[in-house]
Amino acid sequence: MSISDETIDRAGLVGLAVLAVVLTIVVATWPAVPVDETRYLTVAWEMRAMGSWSLPTLNFEPYSHKPPLLFWLINASWSLFGVAVWPARLVGVAAMGMTLLLTHRLDRRLAPDSERGPAASALMLLGLPLFVALGFSIMFDMLLSATVVGAMLALWQAGRGGGPKSFIAYGFCTGIGLLAKGPVVLLFTLPAALLAWFWIETAERRGWYLRLGASLALGIAIALAWALRAAYLGGPDFAEMLFWKQSAGRIASSFAHARPFWFYGPILVLFLIPLLIWRPLWTGLRTIRHERNEARDFLLCWIGPPLFGLSLISGKQLHYLLPIMPALALLMTLGLRSATPRSTDKIPLLVLAGALLVGLIVIASAGGLLLPHNGANMSVISESSVPFLIATGLVALGAIASHLDWR
C-alpha cells in the first residue's frame, strides 16, 4: 500500500487549496475576540490614526508590551482591503501559510535523498487542530513561528556549506523575529546554533561561532533600528519597559500568565492529538533513535532547550509552543520515513480524529451555555462559531487522511 511522491505532492496542494477556501470563509465571518485581539487591533488602529509608525500606543499612551511588526502588517493589509477585522486576520493566515511553506522546504533539505512523502511535514502540521485554529488568530505567535522556521532553514543550510548567504538569512530572520515578538525568538533559534557540534558537517566547524556572532549582530541591528527610535520617542519609562521589563522581567517574574513548571506537558498532548496514538509514528521514532542521524539531532536541539526554557519562564500560554510545532512535525515525519505501515494503521487514527471533530462541535454548541460572557473572562470557544470549529476539524481530518498512506 503505497503512493507516489507526485500523488503526495498533489494531495498536499489539494489540501492547501481546501484550506484556503476554509480560511476565506472563517476569516470573513469570525469577529475579534476580547481581550487580546481587540487590544492589538486598537494599537494598530491608533498607529494608523496618529501616523505614529515607530511608537505603538494603546489609549494613546506608549505601548511597550509588544514590538511593531504585527501592527505594521495589519496596517498594510488595511491599506489593501480597508479597515476591518478580516483583513487583520489575514496576517495570521499568511503567517501560517509561510510557516507551512518553510517547513516543507526544510523537510526537503533535511532528507534530500528521500523518495517518500515530501509533503508530509506540512500535512502533519495541518493535522494538528490547535495549530490550524491558532493560525486564524490576530496574535504574534504564528508570525514568530514563520520567522523561527525561516531562521532554522537558514541555519541548517549554513551547517551544510551554505556559505555567507545562509548566515545572512539566519541573521535577517532573527531580526524580523525580534520585531515580531522580541528577544524570545532567540530562545527558539539560538540553542541549535550554539549546539551545532551535534549536527553540522565537520568542514563547517572552523569559524562557526564567529560567523554566527556576525549574523546575530545583523539581526540585533535590524531590531535596534526600530527600538532605539521608539525609546527616544517614548521617553525613559517606555525605554525601561521595552529593554528590560518586557524581556528579563517576564523571565524572572511574570506579571501575567504565571503557571507551574509542568504546564506544557499536558499542552503538548493537546497539540499532538490525535497523532499520539499512531503506531507507525512510535515505531519510526524508535528506529531513528538507534542510528546516527544529524537531522534528528538538529531537530532535538530545536525542540529540547526551548521547551525547557519555556518551562522555566514563569509566564506560560499554550500558543507559546507554536514555534516548536514545525520541529515536532519534522521529527515525526523523519520517524515515519523509517516505519513500515500496516493496512489497519489508519483505523484508530481516523476514529480518534473523527471523535475529536465531534467533540469540537459539542463544545462549541454548549459553549454559549457553559462559558462566561463577561469581559476579560470571555473564552475563545464561546466566541467561536460551530462552522469555525467544524472547518478547523475538517482541515485537520483531511490532512491526516492525506498522509495515512504516504509511504
Side-chain angles (χ1 to χ4, degrees):
M1 177 172 30
S2 63
I3 53 180
S4 67
D5 291 350
E6 182 181 355
T7 303
I8 284 292
D9 277 331
R10 284 202 304 268
L13 290 174
V14 170
L16 290 176
V18 172
L19 175 63
V21 173
V22 170
L23 291 178
T24 301
I25 296 171
V26 174
V27 163
T29 58
W30 197 20
V33 178
V35 173
D36 288 337
E37 289 193 342
T38 51
R39 179 193 298 125
Y40 302 147
L41 288 174
T42 301
V43 174
W45 181 84
E46 289 184 11
M47 180 178 280
R48 186 179 190 85
M50 300 295 292
S52 177
W53 304 107
S54 297
L55 182 64
T57 63
L58 179 63
N59 299 323
F60 302 101
E61 294 291 332
Y63 181 72
S64 62
H65 289 231
K66 294 294 187 293
L69 183 59
L70 177 66
F71 311 130
W72 289 344
L73 293 176
I74 289 174
N75 274 287
S77 187
W78 279 346
S79 296
L80 290 174
F81 304 109
V83 178
V85 174
W86 71 265
R89 208 172 284 289
L90 284 178
V91 174
V93 172
M96 179 168 63
M98 183 59 68
T99 301
L100 291 168
L101 175 62
L102 292 171
T103 301
H104 172 68
R105 294 195 63 179
L106 181 52
D107 190 6
R108 302 307 296 265
R109 301 295 191 278
L110 292 174
D113 300 325
S114 175
E115 298 179 354
R116 305 172 189 166
S121 57
L123 289 170
M124 193 79 71
L125 278 177
L126 288 178
L128 305 178
L130 264 180
F131 177 87
V132 178
L134 289 170
F136 293 105
S137 301
I138 304 173
M139 297 184 75
F140 302 85
D141 299 274
M142 192 61 77
L143 198 58
L144 175 65
S145 298
T147 66
V148 167
V149 180
M152 300 307 281
L153 172 60
L155 188 65
W156 176 259
Q157 288 294 94
R160 289 294 180 274
K165 64 181 182 181
S166 296
F167 283 97
I168 291 172
Y170 175 78
F172 176 79
C173 289
T174 299
I176 300 302
L178 288 168
L179 292 175
K181 205 179 175 182
V184 70
V185 68
L186 298 175
L187 179 63
F188 297 105
T189 60
L190 193 54
L194 295 177
L195 297 171
W197 252 239
F198 289 101
W199 57 267
I200 62 172
E201 294 178 344
T202 304
E204 297 301 317
R205 293 184 177 183
R206 185 175 181 180
W208 173 265
Y209 292 109
L210 182 62
R211 289 175 288 170
L212 177 64
S215 64
L216 288 173
L218 170 63
I220 293 171
I222 291 172
L224 285 178
W226 162 75
L228 292 176
R229 173 66 176 170
Y232 171 77
L233 294 175
D237 291 341
F238 175 83
E240 182 183 4
M241 288 291 295
L242 181 65
F243 289 113
W244 176 252
K245 291 186 178 180
Q246 290 300 329
S247 53
R250 282 183 181 268
I251 294 174
S253 179
S254 176
F255 37 85
H257 318 309
R259 292 186 171 97
F261 176 84
W262 49 262
F263 175 77
Y264 286 119
I267 296 300
L268 273 176
V269 173
L270 188 62
F271 257 110
L272 296 176
I273 288 173
L275 295 175
L276 283 177
I277 69 160
W278 202 14
R279 185 202 63 84
L281 174 63
W282 293 106
T283 57
L285 290 176
R286 282 197 297 269
T287 299
I288 65 172
R289 184 185 64 180
H290 298 295
E291 60 187 34
R292 178 173 174 79
N293 192 312
E294 279 126 359
R296 175 206 60 200
D297 295 340
F298 171 75
L299 294 171
L300 290 176
C301 290
W302 179 355
I303 296 167
L307 183 58
F308 181 71
L310 287 172
S311 298
L312 289 177
I313 296 171
S314 57
K316 299 178 180 69
Q317 290 278 66
L318 83 158
H319 49 266
Y320 292 175
L321 290 180
L322 267 181
I324 67 170
M325 299 318 297
L328 286 168
L330 289 163
L331 184 63
M332 290 188 290
T333 301
L334 204 64
L336 285 172
R337 288 196 172 102
S338 301
T340 303
R342 298 174 184 168
S343 59
T344 55
D345 283 333
K346 66 178 69 176
I347 298 174
L349 190 60
L350 286 175
V351 168
L352 183 56
L356 180 64
L357 175 57
V358 172
L360 287 172
I361 297 171
V362 171
I363 290 171
S365 302
L369 299 174
L370 302 178
L371 298 171
H373 290 259
N374 53 338
N377 293 324
M378 180 71 76
S379 167
V380 173
I381 294 292
S382 66
E383 281 292 298
S384 301
S385 62
V386 173
F388 163 70
L389 290 175
I390 292 175
T392 302
L394 285 176
V395 168
L397 188 60
I400 290 169
S402 296
H403 65 66
L404 279 176
D405 293 328
W406 65 284
R407 282 202 63 202

